[in-house]
Amino acid sequence: MADSESPIDDLDRQIIHALQGDARHTSASEIAESLDVSARTVRNRINNLEEAGIIRGYNVDVDYEAAGYQLHTLIVCTAPIHEREEIAQHALEVDGVVAIREVMTGAENVHIEVVGVDSNDLSRIGRDLNDVGLTVVDEDLIRNEYTRPFHQFSARAATDDN
C-alpha cells in the first residue's frame, strides 16, 4: 500500500481518483479493468484505505434548491483559535448546519454551510451559532458548487512523477 515516504502508492491514488469522480457509479470491477489489476485487489485496497482513515466516507451531493430549499448559505464566522475545533464540533449540532470547515489562517476561521427554510430560519441558525461561541462575520447564498478529483491522484500524475 505505501512506501516509506507516502502512506499511499500510485495504485491507491488512482483508485481514490476514480472514487472521487463518482463513487456511487464506479464499481471495483470497472476500476480494476482501467488499472489492469483484479477487482479483489481494488476491493482490498479500498478496505485498507478506509481502515487507515484515508477514505473517510462517501457523501451525497444534494441539490438543495431542487429539493425545495432555496436558502443554501455559507456563513463565515470567527472563533477563538484555542477553542475553534471544539466550537466547530458543537456548531455541527445546530439544526440546518450541513458542513463546517475550519480554516487555518485569518480571523474568519470557520466556514459553515447551512440550509434554511426561510429567512427566520437563517436568523435562528445565526443566533444558535452565536450561542455556541462563534461570531458571524458574513453570510452568502450559495448558487452552485463544483468539485473534481484531486489531480495528484490521477494516473497522469503518477506517470509524470517517474
Side-chain angles (χ1 to χ4, degrees), residues 137-154:
V137 176
D138 195 12
E139 298 178 29
D140 298 301
L141 284 177
I142 297 171
R143 180 165 182 247
N144 286 309
E145 183 171 338
Y146 307 97
T147 62
R148 67 176 243 171
F150 180 46
H151 73 285
Q152 288 293 319
F153 290 154
S154 72

Side-chain angles (χ1 to χ4, degrees), residues 1 16 19 43-58:
M1 183 162 126
I16 293 169
L19 293 172
R43 283 191 296 276
N44 288 340
R45 292 294 188 108
I46 291 171
N47 287 338
N48 291 340
L49 291 163
E50 289 171 345
E51 288 173 10
I54 294 168
I55 294 178
R56 296 184 296 190
Y58 303 87

Side-chain angles (χ1 to χ4, degrees), residues 21 23 36 42 47 65 69 91 94 99 104 119 131 140-142 156:
D36 198 30
V42 171
N47 287 338
E65 187 173 349
Y69 299 97
V94 171
M104 294 299 295
S119 59
D131 290 346
D140 298 301
L141 284 177
I142 297 171
R156 189 180 72 231

Side-chain angles (χ1 to χ4, degrees), residues 14-43:
Q14 292 173 51
I15 291 168
I16 293 169
H17 190 267
L19 293 172
Q20 281 185 316
D22 187 359
R24 180 169 156 94
H25 296 105
T26 304
S27 70
S29 298
E30 291 170 323
I31 296 171
E33 185 176 325
S34 72
L35 300 177
D36 198 30
V37 297
S38 73
R40 181 179 182 85
T41 295
V42 171
R43 283 191 296 276

Side-chain angles (χ1 to χ4, degrees), residues 62-72 115-118:
V62 177
D63 182 336
Y64 292 105
E65 187 173 349
Y69 299 97
Q70 312 292 314
L71 300 177
H72 184 201
V115 178
V117 295
D118 57 29

